[in-house]
Amino acid sequence: MTSTRKVLNWIGMGLFVLLGVAATIPLFLIIIDIYSKGIDAINRLGGLWHFLTSEPPSPLSKSGGVGPPLIGTLYMTALGAIGGFALGFPLGVYIGEMRREKLANAARVGVNVLVEFPTITIGLFVYAVMGLVQDDLNRYILGPVSATLKAALGNSVFYNYVSWFVGPLDSFNAYAGAAALALVMIPYVALITASAYASVAQPLREAAYGIGGREFNALFIVMRKVVSRAVLTAALIGTAKIAGETAPLLFTAFGNNYYAPFTGSTGAVSLWIYAASETPYNVQIMSAYGAAAVLLTIILILFISARIKAIHD
Amino acid sequence: MTKLEAKNLQVSFGNVAVITGLNLSIPEGSITALMGPSGSGKSTLLRVFNRLIELYPEAHVGGYVYLDGQDIFEIDVIELRRRVQMIFQIPNPIPNLSIFENVALGLKLNRLAKNRKELYQRVKTALEKAQLWDEVKDRLNAPAGKLSGGQQQRLCVARSLAFEPEVLLADEPTANLDPENTAKIEALLLDLKKEMTIVLVTHFPQQAARISDYVAFLYKGQIVERGPTKDIFTKPRHELTEKYVTGRLY
């Protein structure tokens, strides 16, 4: 009898191992495929530095890169991550700590729905909002602001820099893209934060109120330090998530192959991959593989630093 | 002099009445032990004294508690918690913060130190009073989670002392400690009563006998008997008290 049980145990364990391996095979196939083709492409298109800084190749050129889309991705991801964290973190604290309030429960349900939303609808939403507010925003706020800046700075080089960031917005612009990314990130950060706060043991919560003084300090300083690890992970994983998003940017940032002000349509690496892989031109398809390798590297760095931080502590 | 006084205090959690019309006065500069079986309302009573009870949304409090004759529910809660500090059954330093930061954080958040030098001095004084300074002075930046259980509890005492409180509430502070560390905490409390009023919740009648000046015996949310420690242990007036101190009620 014992030996039958052992054999069954081996078979069972063997199946689990097999399933585990099967689950990771696609992951490694994707990584290997993208890096082997991507690195080859980057070398053929003019080397890493050239690839990271130059404009995407036109159909008949022999070299090119992802400079403008990369800058756009970095800028929009950074803004989106800041916005998403700034809203998602307090929301998560509210959901996690005020579990007995009806509104907090409603917020929890809402966030759970939002996390499953097709991200393209979020892009559409921001596009619609942009259409509503663009005129007034430009006329009453951004126009005067940029005029004031121009008057203050004159036509200096410095004003040229500033005007890349501040000015009347086109209907496609980096800020709309960042807003869409922030909306995608909010529920991720909120849910991880909420579960981290909810898991804080009652003695630590009491200690937090005992030493924190006002409730704000207890919740956002003392208890944040208790759950800092989870909050950091939430921020990094949320950032990784939005760095690779394409759909929310289609109607908001739109994409751009040239270095251009962020107030107008802005490129993103993911958008370039999408656009280039649809063309019949080999050089552009190659650059899409290179771009995929760059994007994957950004995301892996974010994920791995989140993992290392978790293991290190 | 009465430091803390509860009058007709009632606390319930939802429909469950935990404290039912309790009257108690706690003399200044002494150790008052709250003794009683599980569920008699000892810990709840402590959490009323610094209003941590308000963290429990289902708790409902009625009656009055006075600190130096002032209604604690009319004192600003931040000021109250600064004056009435608490240490807990499970040592609860913030594990990933450094030893220094654990003591300093409360001072910083309540803006009790004017500059870094004063902050350092107050942290040092608090750690010295908690008799922990000599053990940690060379590793103030180590995470508090690395300390032993007894050291963590003394760190929590230091964290409370940094506020220079008038009342120290101790909720079974030695329940999770070995006898050696228990002795250290008890010696510490005896030392501290020179400067502050201490309310000690304990499950061990022996502990109350060793260090307290007064004992209040709680049963089912009411004070059964209160008096000088010696009287409670040698000539208890109430049958329940006698049963408890002789180990026949728990």
Side-chain angles (χ1 to χ4, degrees), chain B residues 99 120 127 132-142:
Chain B
I99 295 167
Y120 179 83
L127 284 167
L132 189 63
W133 175 252
D134 289 334
E135 292 163 54
V136 300
K137 65 183 173 195
D138 301 324
R139 47 178 177 141
L140 288 173
N141 291 320

Side-chain angles (χ1 to χ4, degrees), chain A residues 100 203 206-207 210-211 225 228, chain B residues 47 56-57 85 88 92 96 110:
Chain A
R100 275 163 218 282
E206 291 184 329
I211 64 177
K225 287 180 191 283
S228 59
Chain B
R47 279 168 179 72
Y56 299 81
Q85 273 288 316
F88 300 83
N92 56 359
N96 47 351
N110 291 280

Side-chain angles (χ1 to χ4, degrees), chain B residues 5-248:
Chain B
E5 187 172 21
K7 270 195 180 155
N8 192 26
L9 184 70
Q10 300 140 26
V11 183
S12 56
F13 288 92
N15 294 328
V16 186
V18 178
I19 293 179
T20 49
L22 178 146
N23 295 297
L24 177 66
S25 65
I26 288 168
E28 191 166 3
S30 64
I31 299 182
T32 301
L34 301 177
M35 253 175 20
S38 295
S40 56
K42 312 182 292 291
S43 295
T44 305
L45 181 57
L46 278 199
R47 279 168 179 72
V48 174
F49 286 155
N50 64 355
R51 287 171 62 183
L52 270 185
I53 193 82
E54 289 167 9
L55 292 191
Y56 299 81
E58 70 278 19
H60 183 80
V61 183
Y64 300 92
V65 177
Y66 299 100
L67 174 68
D68 287 335
Q70 209 182 351
D71 187 344
I72 64 163
F73 295 100
E74 283 174 8
I75 302 177
D76 178 34
V77 68
I78 297 159
E79 191 201 330
L80 178 74
R81 289 192 187 138
R82 188 180 62 68
R83 290 167 67 187
V84 183
Q85 273 288 316
M86 182 160 180
I87 55 177
F88 300 83
Q89 179 174 359
I90 298 164
N92 56 359
I94 313 295
N96 47 351
L97 275 193
S98 72
I99 295 167
F100 182 86
E101 275 298 314
N102 257 286
V103 182
L105 187 58
L107 296 176
K108 281 190 203 163
L109 292 179
N110 291 280
R111 299 206 172 83
L112 293 175
K114 283 184 212 75
N115 50 47
R116 296 187 67 81
K117 205 175 155 197
E118 194 192 334
L119 182 71
Y120 179 83
Q121 196 52 47
R122 281 186 77 154
V123 171
K124 185 177 178 220
T125 311
L127 284 167
E128 279 170 348
K129 275 190 198 162
Q131 294 164 19
L132 189 63
W133 175 252
D134 289 334
E135 292 163 54
V136 300
K137 65 183 173 195
D138 301 324
R139 47 178 177 141
L140 288 173
N141 291 320
K146 295 249 156 65
L147 293 173
S148 75
Q151 288 172 325
Q152 288 193 15
Q153 191 60 295
R154 275 179 285 147
L155 181 62
C156 292
V157 175
R159 185 174 67 188
S160 294
L161 294 182
F163 287 92
E164 295 175 358
E166 298 161 29
V167 179
L168 183 66
L169 308 172
D171 187 5
E172 300 186 45
T174 61
N176 284 303
L177 301 181
D178 59 55
E180 188 190 342
N181 279 302
T182 300
K184 280 185 188 165
I185 295 282
E186 287 180 0
L188 182 55
L189 293 179
L190 280 174
D191 198 40
L192 288 174
K193 79 168 178 183
K194 292 173 206 148
E195 297 169 40
M196 60 196 73
T197 309
I198 295 174
V199 186
L200 170 76
V201 162
T202 178
H203 259 307
F204 307 111
Q206 302 93 317
Q207 183 169 56
R210 279 196 298 269
I211 63 172
S212 69
D213 303 300
Y214 300 93
V215 171
F217 178 66
L218 272 83
Y219 190 71
K220 291 189 174 166
Q222 292 198 323
I223 301 285
V224 173
E225 189 169 346
R226 177 196 171 277
T229 303
K230 199 179 163 197
D231 294 355
I232 296 280
F233 281 93
T234 54
K235 41 185 186 217
R237 291 188 302 268
H238 202 287
E239 188 193 358
L240 281 170
T241 318
E242 192 194 344
K243 270 187 166 174
Y244 187 80
V245 299
T246 53
R248 285 177 293 145

